[in-house]
Amino acid sequence: MKILYAIQGTGNGHLSRAIDVIPCLEKHGAVDILVSGIQGDLKLPYKVKYQFKGLSFIFGKSGGVDLWKTVRRSNPTKLIKNIQNLPVEEYDLVVNDFEPVSAWACYFKNKPCISLSHQSAVLNAAFPQPEHQDRMGRLILEHYAPATAKYGFHFKSHGDGVYTPVIRKQVRDMQVSDKGHYTVYLPAYDDKTLIKRLSVFPSVQWDVFSKHNHKKVVHKNITIRPINNELFTASMASSSGVLCGAGFETPAEAMFLGKKLLVIPMKNQYEQHLNAALLKQMGVPVIKGLKPKYEDVIAHWILNGEPIAVDYPNRTQEIVNKIIFKHASDAYFTPVQTV
């Protein structure tokens, strides 16, 4: 069987999940990989056949998506050409992780597209909604990458189509400890802002991973590091707690590792506000930004915060098997034992 696996390349969450999903797909046939997006820092340890600019949201430096840069850097003509030219009809199965080029190519060519993503779960009515409704944000989530069947991952499972997160083998195998520092990943804030706001807590060692710096910088009790997957994972596993955006993979991994968690949903990113609503229901503290009015919440979290207990079993192969069995032709399906 010939499979196209298409991955959203904005941010690192989709790419990190793909590292575990790809070998599960490969047990069923030959897999070609497509990545679109320009904001990812993680390199896949697999050959990528199709690499597109796609339709990426650009992180800003003051806590949110930079809408102007997002529009300015988009290239609708190139995007449409890529959609038209992508040969999705040559594949027996297209599996999509919130990737627009392959999704719309399937849509226009009447080809089934199977969504396996966090975004397939986040709008589920079974989960809590944020205090404010963002009609445009919801519209984007619903239509950014259309699919004929949807399977999702969320912080909690629900029914037969929403599963707990895929936790990377690298994270599952980590030795967990507590060396006293706090790991920070807030890519929508620049280093100057992070140093200014975190310096308010001089007794805390902050280990900050930054999208805006390419070399290590130490400022008193704050260490700024460029993004590095291995160093970040090790820092998180040996931390006292994790301060991050309300994305999906990093909060899920932090909770899996038994770390207390504080999240700041990114402005102009409705998906993160949906995530934050469920995390808040689970007991994770949520703040709207790094302004001084939130310093008491951060201080209380540092002194009194507690980890949230979760159960995230390794079901990735089982889930992939289920999708293959249901959506691939019987002529191509060969049962694979779950590891």
Side-chain angles (χ1 to χ4, degrees):
M1 179 166 61
K2 192 175 180 183
I3 302 169
L4 177 64
Y5 182 40
I7 310 156
Q8 170 63 250
T10 298
N12 299 321
H14 306 268
L15 295 169
S16 66
R17 178 166 55 243
I19 293 172
D20 275 34
V21 172
I22 290 168
C24 295
L25 289 170
E26 287 180 331
K27 291 186 178 182
H28 293 283
V31 179
D32 285 344
I33 299 170
L34 181 157
V35 177
S36 76
I38 58 175
Q39 286 277 282
D41 302 290
L42 184 63
K43 301 297 181 183
L44 288 176
Y46 298 96
K47 179 182 177 181
V48 176
K49 182 166 184 176
Y50 305 101
Q51 182 82 58
F52 299 129
K53 184 177 180 180
L55 185 59
S56 291
F57 297 103
I58 308 301
F59 298 142
K61 296 184 178 182
S62 57
V65 171
D66 190 321
L67 295 177
W68 170 241
K69 280 190 177 180
T70 296
V71 173
R72 188 158 54 92
R73 293 191 185 182
S74 65
N75 189 333
T77 302
K78 185 68 172 179
L79 177 65
I80 292 170
K81 185 177 180 180
N82 289 337
I83 291 170
Q84 292 173 335
N85 293 338
L86 184 65
V88 291
E89 66 277 5
E90 296 179 4
Y91 293 90
D92 302 303
L93 188 68
V94 177
V95 180
N96 182 290
D97 189 342
F98 203 56
E99 193 290 307
V101 177
S102 63
W104 283 101
C106 287
Y107 177 84
F108 287 117
K109 296 181 181 182
N110 199 29
K111 173 77 175 179
C113 179
I114 313 304
S115 175
L116 181 62
S117 68
H118 171 55
Q119 287 74 18
S120 291
V122 76
L123 289 175
N124 192 300
F127 300 118
Q129 301 295 302
E131 295 177 358
H132 75 284
Q133 290 298 313
D134 181 346
R135 292 183 180 179
M136 180 58 69
R138 178 173 286 270
L139 191 68
I140 291 171
L141 283 174
E142 291 174 337
H143 300 288
Y144 182 85
T148 51
K150 294 183 178 182
Y151 300 87
F153 302 102
H154 213 341
F155 299 119
K156 289 183 176 180
S157 61
H158 178 73
D160 196 34
V162 179
Y163 309 102
T164 53
V166 173
I167 302 297
R168 295 177 286 153
K169 185 178 185 299
Q170 179 188 7
V171 174
R172 288 186 181 275
D173 293 344
M174 288 299 298
Q175 187 71 36
V176 178
S177 62
D178 185 348
K179 296 183 178 179
H181 65 270
Y182 284 76
T183 302
V184 180
Y185 180 54
L186 292 167
Y189 287 94
D190 61 17
D191 299 346
K192 181 179 178 181
T193 300
L194 290 172
I195 290 172
K196 180 179 179 180
R197 298 306 182 193
L198 297 178
S199 294
V200 174
F201 310 96
S203 63
V204 176
Q205 291 298 316
W206 299 102
D207 200 16
V208 178
F209 288 80
S210 169
K211 290 185 71 71
H212 309 288
N213 203 328
H214 299 290
K215 63 180 181 179
K216 178 180 176 181
V217 176
V218 178
H219 181 85
K220 297 181 180 179
N221 61 316
I222 302 169
T223 301
I224 306 286
R225 306 179 191 273
I227 300 297
N228 178 285
N229 178 54
E230 286 72 24
L231 289 178
F232 176 75
T233 304
S235 174
M236 189 163 55
S238 61
S239 71
S240 293
V242 177
L243 169 60
C244 63
F248 182 55
E249 276 70 21
T250 297
E253 290 176 354
M255 290 190 293
F256 174 83
L257 291 169
K259 303 300 178 180
K260 62 183 181 182
L261 177 66
L262 174 64
V263 300
I264 305 175
M266 193 181 297
K267 290 179 286 188
N268 301 321
Q269 229 284 22
Y270 189 53
E271 177 196 335
Q272 291 212 2
H273 290 271
L274 288 162
N275 289 341
L278 180 53
L279 288 170
K280 185 176 181 179
Q281 184 189 73
M282 294 170 67
V284 175
V286 177
I287 57 177
K288 294 182 179 180
L290 284 175
K291 293 181 178 179
K293 64 181 178 179
Y294 298 112
E295 290 173 4
D296 288 345
V297 179
I298 298 174
H300 183 269
W301 173 71
I302 293 169
L303 292 174
N304 304 300
E306 295 287 343
I308 303 299
V310 295
D311 180 20
Y312 293 159
N314 185 3
R315 297 184 60 197
T316 309
Q317 186 68 67
E318 176 188 343
I319 294 165
V320 169
N321 291 352
K322 176 180 178 179
I323 291 171
I324 297 290
F325 180 79
K326 186 170 184 178
H327 296 282
S329 167
D330 291 342
Y332 293 108
F333 178 71
T334 301
V336 174
Q337 291 185 350
T338 301
V339 177

